[in-house]
Amino acid sequence: MKCISTRLPYRQTGAFSKIALDYIDQAVALKSFFAHTPSLQGIQKAIEARKQFPTNRELLVQELKKQYQGVDSSDKIKQNIESLLSADSFTITTAHQNNIFTGPLYFIYKIVHAIKLADQLNELLPGQHFVPVYYIGSEDADLDELNHIYLGGEKLTWQTKQTGAVGRMKVDKELVKMIGLIEGQLSVLPNGNEIIGQLKQYYKEGSTIQDATFRFVNSLFAEYGLIVLLPDNAVLKKQMQPLFEDDLLNQAASGVVEKTAGNLATAGYKVQASPREINLFYLKGDKRERIEKGNGEWLVVNGVEKFNETEIREELSKYPERFSPNVILRGLYQETILPNIAFIGGGGETAYWLQLKDLFDYYKVPFPVLVLRNSFLLVEKKWQVTISKLGFTIEDLFLPEQELMNRLVARETDKKLKMNGTFSETEQLYDGIKKQASAVDSTLEKHVEALKTQTLHRLQELEKKMLRAEKRKFADQQRQLHVLKEQLFPGNGLQERKENLSYYYAKWGKDFIAQLYHSSLSLEQEFAILLEK
């Protein structure tokens, strides 16, 4: 796969939230909501802060070695795991739920970004070592968000009745059947059988989704030294016992985060995540349910379990794996068990992390550098041909379809569709009438003004009708434009938020990953467009 890479400012895409764009621009209004800037200087400050925090590196390395037993990893992964024992070794982390077959493309982009940033820092700061980590959010129970992929515009959904944390669910016959559907579409492509072979190898009936995701991602990125971390781990969670206990008994986190959220809202930003009084779920078997406190007892919502204070403390001490942090506490868990200095996330993730800075300060856990993940638009040759035929540039395609069509018609038609001058002439006419009428009776001014407004409105409607009538003569171009927009911006959104890795891998193989790595930015924070050569 050979590509030409170009870049766009994120603002020019029209596809990102105000808070994400302001964070990129380091707006003054957001300064108090993060600790370090996404820059080399910010990274260096994060390293110094991290050095003051006691990370249990020996325990982390021990659990990673257990996790990787029997897994076909690379020498680079083994070296990276060992390196974490050193006080001069730090992680660059991204996190995502275990969407089946990796879900939308940005799942892959986040991981590549973590790898690229770690590699660049290893060059720029040779006194330290940086390790890329993918933290699997396997305890997420939102199956509807994770149970599907889009392939060629078609939504393929895993129909299962399993409940609870998706990572603990098992690959069943329905999921295996989905691989068969994917095979039917992709086996004709040059590397189709390779990607299908990997899906069949790792998504075997009886395997957990968490383990399948771990092994599949490892197969894609082992050569880059990526460490995949499974946080659904009793030994690692044991380190969170004091913090989890504080949340259960004192509910401190909700008050801290609510205050920060209020400050963000006052600054003009939409609040991304709302804390609960208790920000832990009870995770047992195929259930992940909220914990609520009432009348001196802790109850599991939709469950039979209930505990008094002594019992809830004992349950946490004996079975830390049964306590699952929600979005408010998950970052604290991640940053406690990893010697992490930078977190790579999407716009939504960056927004909710900005709500957490005061909470990190409260629990005296170092806050990482927040880096907005890389975004890509993949434009195959056939779509470049269509874009050229329609007389547009790649950058134009970020505009709404109707606006593009209006531009095309205005450019191609030999008819005069804009009533330039007509509106100003009409206004002048009515201004003259208004003077004449008011000389007779001043109360007639409002009546003339209403007539003017009504006439201008009707002229505008006429102009729109003329444009619509002319558009019908360009029906073929309109169809081509619609197909193009649906392919590159499905559902009027970004391609990366829908399309799955499998098609691009089937077409280009591992070269696809290599090209993403080659074109990936680290701290530059721009939108990348990849044009197939």
Side-chain angles (χ1 to χ4, degrees):
M1 177 196 182
K2 292 184 179 179
C3 284
I4 298 171
S5 177
T6 63
R7 303 179 191 177
L8 274 181
Y10 274 102
R11 283 192 184 276
Q12 195 173 327
T13 67
F16 292 84
S17 65
K18 179 180 187 294
I19 194 167
L21 295 172
D22 283 359
Y23 180 71
I24 291 169
D25 293 340
Q26 294 291 281
V28 173
L30 287 176
K31 291 287 186 185
S32 63
F33 298 100
F34 59 88
H36 314 291
T37 59
S39 63
L40 187 59
Q41 293 75 21
I43 293 285
Q44 290 170 314
K45 287 179 181 178
I47 290 171
E48 292 309 308
R50 173 56 64 175
K51 284 180 177 178
Q52 310 306 312
F53 185 78
T55 305
N56 194 333
R57 293 173 177 271
E58 292 76 14
L59 191 67
L60 174 63
V61 170
Q62 166 197 301
E63 292 306 305
L64 283 171
K65 285 181 175 178
K66 283 183 189 175
Q67 181 189 303
Y68 273 88
Q69 280 178 359
V71 175
D72 188 16
S73 63
S74 65
D75 288 341
K76 194 168 182 181
I77 287 176
K78 292 169 186 172
Q79 291 162 10
N80 275 343
I81 290 175
E82 286 293 341
S83 78
L84 292 173
L85 291 169
S86 166
D88 289 320
S89 190
F90 305 95
T91 59
I92 306 295
T93 301
T94 192
H96 201 76
Q97 309 101 306
N98 38 208
N99 297 65
I100 60 168
F101 314 139
T102 73
L105 278 166
Y106 69 78
F107 180 114
I108 300 298
Y109 298 166
K110 292 165 84 168
I111 291 173
V112 174
H113 195 162
I115 294 167
K116 189 63 172 274
L117 180 55
D119 286 351
Q120 187 185 66
L121 292 176
N122 280 323
E123 291 180 14
L124 296 174
L125 302 172
Q128 284 93 27
H129 183 65
F130 301 92
V131 177
V133 172
Y134 162 50
Y135 176 109
I136 295 186
S138 57
E139 295 172 21
D140 195 308
D142 190 353
L143 182 62
D144 288 344
E145 189 178 327
L146 310 181
N147 68 351
H148 60 274
I149 65 167
Y150 286 88
L151 190 60
E154 181 185 359
K155 185 178 182 180
L156 304 178
T157 303
W158 176 30
Q159 304 292 345
T160 184
K161 294 181 179 178
Q162 297 178 67
T163 59
V166 176
R168 292 187 177 188
M169 292 181 185
K170 299 289 180 67
V171 176
D172 56 17
K173 286 182 171 57
E174 288 299 316
L175 193 57
V176 172
K177 192 187 296 181
M178 272 187 72
I179 298 175
L181 293 174
I182 296 169
E183 183 174 16
Q185 292 193 43
L186 300 183
S187 59
V188 295
L189 294 173
N191 302 283
N193 290 330
E194 182 184 340
I195 188 68
I196 295 300
Q198 289 185 58
L199 294 179
K200 287 180 176 178
Q201 180 179 353
Y202 302 118
Y203 289 85
K204 286 181 177 175
E205 194 171 347
S207 298
T208 64
I209 298 298
Q210 171 182 264
D211 191 58
T213 304
F214 163 40
R215 290 171 186 268
F216 183 40
V217 171
N218 177 68
S219 74
L220 295 173
F221 295 104
E223 66 190 86
Y224 296 91
L226 177 77
I227 291 176
V228 179
L229 174 64
L230 308 183
D232 187 359
N233 177 308
V235 175
L236 294 177
K237 280 189 178 178
K238 185 73 174 174
Q239 297 176 76
M240 296 298 288
Q241 185 175 335
L243 195 153
F244 285 177
E245 187 172 289
D246 185 56
D247 194 62
L248 288 166
L249 301 183
N250 303 313
Q251 295 92 54
S254 60
V256 174
V257 176
E258 277 176 6
K259 184 178 178 182
T260 309
N263 292 337
L264 263 176
T266 301
Y269 298 104
K270 180 182 176 184
V271 174
Q272 190 73 18
S274 300
R276 297 185 179 276
E277 283 193 7
I278 293 175
N279 293 284
L280 292 165
F281 289 88
Y282 191 70
L283 181 62
K284 188 177 179 182
D286 62 351
K287 300 293 181 187
R288 184 181 186 250
E289 299 287 356
R290 286 188 295 108
I291 300 170
E292 291 185 350
K293 183 183 177 184
N295 300 319
E297 289 187 317
W298 285 258
L299 309 172
V300 176
V301 177
N302 299 321
V304 296
E305 299 88 349
K306 64 180 180 178
F307 309 90
N308 60 32
E309 182 175 329
T310 301
E311 290 166 341
I312 197 75
R313 286 176 186 267
E314 187 177 344
E315 185 79 359
L316 178 60
S317 178
K318 282 186 177 179
Y319 307 107
E321 70 277 12
R322 292 181 181 174
F323 294 82
S324 176
N326 71 358
V327 67
I328 302 300
L329 298 184
R330 189 199 64 74
L332 280 165
Y333 176 35
Q334 171 188 296
E335 298 298 310
T336 297
I337 62 177
L338 288 170
N340 197 49
I341 55 159
F343 178 73
I344 293 168
E349 287 171 292
T350 301
Y352 79 68
W353 273 81
L354 291 169
Q355 291 179 227
L356 302 179
K357 161 74 165 45
D358 294 338
L359 185 64
F360 273 70
D361 290 346
Y362 179 85
Y363 283 115
K364 297 179 171 58
V365 177
F367 195 73
V369 174
L370 302 180
V371 181
L372 187 71
R373 68 165 173 81
N374 280 328
S375 285
F376 292 95
L377 175 65
L378 307 172
V379 188
E380 297 171 73
K381 283 182 185 176
K382 59 184 177 181
W383 304 125
Q384 293 175 50
V385 171
T386 304
I387 293 168
S388 180
K389 280 183 178 177
L390 291 172
F392 292 119
T393 66
I394 300 295
E395 291 77 12
D396 290 335
L397 267 291
F398 285 87
L399 294 169
E401 185 176 330
Q402 281 307 311
E403 184 172 341
L404 289 171
M405 196 60 207
N406 290 347
R407 288 187 180 192
L408 186 148
V409 172
R411 185 184 70 228
E412 299 293 331
T413 186
D414 56 358
K415 306 292 190 302
K416 188 177 178 182
L417 301 175
K418 285 282 184 185
M419 292 193 285
N420 297 329
T422 305
F423 293 109
S424 57
E425 289 169 6
T426 303
E427 287 191 6
Q428 288 173 11
L429 173 66
Y430 273 97
D431 287 344
I433 295 171
K434 187 161 59 176
K435 284 180 184 177
Q436 184 179 347
S438 65
V440 177
D441 184 346
S442 61
T443 62
L444 293 173
E445 270 194 41
K446 287 185 179 178
H447 178 62
V448 176
E449 190 65 33
L451 287 173
K452 181 176 81 169
T453 301
Q454 191 178 59
T455 302
L456 288 172
H457 175 71
R458 286 178 175 174
L459 286 173
Q460 287 168 345
E461 289 300 308
L462 175 60
E463 189 178 76
K464 288 177 185 177
K465 286 180 180 179
M466 289 164 62
L467 179 60
R468 282 198 295 271
E470 189 65 9
K471 272 184 185 178
R472 287 194 283 272
K473 300 174 186 176
F474 293 86
D476 189 48
Q477 291 95 320
Q478 189 159 19
R479 181 188 56 77
Q480 291 177 51
L481 180 60
H482 181 72
V483 170
L484 181 64
K485 285 287 285 185
E486 267 304 304
Q487 289 296 323
L488 299 184
F489 298 89
N492 293 317
L494 290 178
Q495 176 193 67
E496 62 184 32
R497 295 176 186 167
K498 272 205 171 180
E499 294 301 319
N500 180 252
L501 158 80
S502 57
Y503 166 74
Y504 298 95
Y505 195 107
K507 183 173 181 179
W508 293 312
K510 275 218 163 182
D511 281 351
F512 175 54
I513 303 288
Q515 184 64 56
L516 289 176
Y517 175 82
H518 176 72
S519 304
S520 186
L521 308 178
S522 52
L523 294 170
E524 297 91 331
Q525 309 277 265
E526 288 185 291
F527 191 100
I529 299 169
L530 295 186
L531 305 171
E532 182 188 9
K533 288 176 71 176

